[in-house]
Amino acid sequence: MSEAYKAAGVDVEAGYKSVDLIKKHVKMTETEGVLSGIGGFGGLFGIGTGYSDPVLVSGTDGVGTKLKVAFLMDKHDTIGQDCVAMCVNDIACSGAKPLFFLDYLAVGKNYPERIAEIVKGVADGCVLAGAALIGGETAEMPGFYDVDEYDLAGFSVGIVDKENIIDGSKTKAGDVLVGIASSGIHSNGYSLVRKIFGLDEKDAKETLMKKYDELSETLGEALLRPTKIYVKPLLSVIEKFDVHAVSHITGGGFIENIPRMLPDGLAAEIKKGTWDVLPIFELMQKKANLSERDMYNTFNMGIGLVLAVDAKCAEDVVAHVNSLGEKAYIIGQVKDKTDSQIDII
């Protein structure tokens, strides 16, 4: 052990202990393609057979300032699922099955038990996505992060046959938009969330313990609810139905994300009242007197994934998603574009 390095703020021994504590979490994510364990210089994964013209689809993202809520709550075992979700949900929008995931965790000080909690959340997310956690990096960076702070980012790779890529090209006017419910705010808009509830103030911890009439849990529990991972239900729908386009509702909300899945010349018409807007969104809008546009341009409003499908199978898609334990709704339609790429009426 380097005593000089430890005096500079980096505890190599704590790093070794962290690796030892996370091994059991990593182990539970192993899938058929895993060819290496943690500890090497690279994660090895075999694609295998079953693809005629395989295309790799990749995605990377972080958790953002939702981490500050985890710091205040001193709860770190779910934030990893947010990181996984933000990556794997994106690549699944192309019809891809996630193969593996890697994380990057930068900390002000290495607390091995906390590292293990964070990685447990990552592993839980990988299991939900059917992806293997094949590697990662934990960097202890004293002087760059405060001792009780960290940042978490991830990277995932998935696979899809070229002929099965979902790119929106089949989408047409008259297609129906099916929305699948979110679990909460997910992992977007937390700079605004923190401002609304005063979470940068001295009494932030007390605020997070508050119970609002609109919520069935404390504010902190509602804000830390992890991002839903849609991979398995989405791939199940794709296997049974001809899905024309998929949009993951993340930063930018409905207004930015739904048009991203549509070809030029088409627009989305969203009908309010066709799904259950979650109480947390109603609370935030009322508390901060936010405009409807601000809400729909920042948050998922209770819908985390939107699919465009032929009108003939829309009801069957909803029934299938509901049979998988999710909540799905017909929330609108695709139409020819006029003035706007999305109308919320």
Side-chain angles (χ1 to χ4, degrees), residues 51-58 90-97 158-171 234-235 238-239 241-246 261 263 308:
Y51 298 91
S52 59
D53 191 4
V55 174
L56 298 179
V57 183
S58 60
D90 277 0
I91 66 177
C93 288
S94 299
K97 177 187 183 301
I159 190 168
V160 60
D161 259 324
K162 189 173 183 179
E163 66 178 4
N164 295 328
I165 293 173
I166 297 174
D167 58 7
S169 60
K170 293 182 180 180
T171 312
L234 175 57
L235 293 181
I238 291 169
E239 185 179 352
F241 302 96
D242 186 14
V243 176
H244 294 170
V246 185
M261 74 177 184

Side-chain angles (χ1 to χ4, degrees), residues 89-236:
N89 286 344
D90 277 0
I91 66 177
C93 288
S94 299
K97 177 187 183 301
L99 295 174
F100 57 82
F101 184 86
L102 295 94
D103 62 354
Y104 176 78
L105 177 59
V107 303
K109 182 175 175 59
N110 190 327
Y111 300 107
E113 289 75 16
R114 180 181 293 177
I115 299 293
E117 286 185 51
I118 297 166
V119 175
K120 177 189 180 299
V122 173
D124 289 343
C126 286
V127 170
L128 289 171
L133 177 57
I134 64 169
E137 172 70 13
T138 300
E140 191 171 10
M141 301 170 64
F144 195 87
Y145 295 97
D146 288 342
V147 293
D148 288 325
E149 292 185 347
Y150 57 86
D151 197 9
L152 179 63
F155 171 82
S156 188
V157 172
I159 190 168
V160 60
D161 259 324
K162 189 173 183 179
E163 66 178 4
N164 295 328
I165 293 173
I166 297 174
D167 58 7
S169 60
K170 293 182 180 180
T171 312
K172 62 186 184 303
D175 279 355
V176 167
L177 299 176
V178 174
I180 305 180
S182 67
S183 56
I185 304 174
H186 285 181
S187 190
N188 301 103
Y190 274 78
S191 294
L192 179 55
V193 171
R194 287 168 31 241
K195 182 178 180 181
I196 291 171
F197 291 108
L199 298 184
D200 293 328
E201 305 298 327
K202 290 182 179 180
D203 62 349
K205 290 183 179 180
E206 290 76 12
T207 299
L208 289 170
M209 296 306 295
K210 186 174 180 179
K211 293 199 75 171
Y212 288 85
D213 292 340
E214 293 87 344
L215 304 177
S216 61
E217 56 197 341
T218 66
L219 176 63
E221 289 168 336
L223 298 187
L224 271 191
R225 189 175 289 275
T227 305
K228 185 177 287 290
I229 292 179
Y230 294 100
V231 172
K232 291 180 180 179
L234 175 57
L235 293 181
S236 179

Side-chain angles (χ1 to χ4, degrees), residues 15-30:
Y16 298 154
K17 183 177 180 182
S18 296
V19 172
D20 190 55
L21 289 175
I22 68 175
K23 283 181 178 178
K24 63 180 180 181
H25 302 306
V26 175
K27 180 72 175 176
M28 74 180 194
T29 74
E30 283 190 6

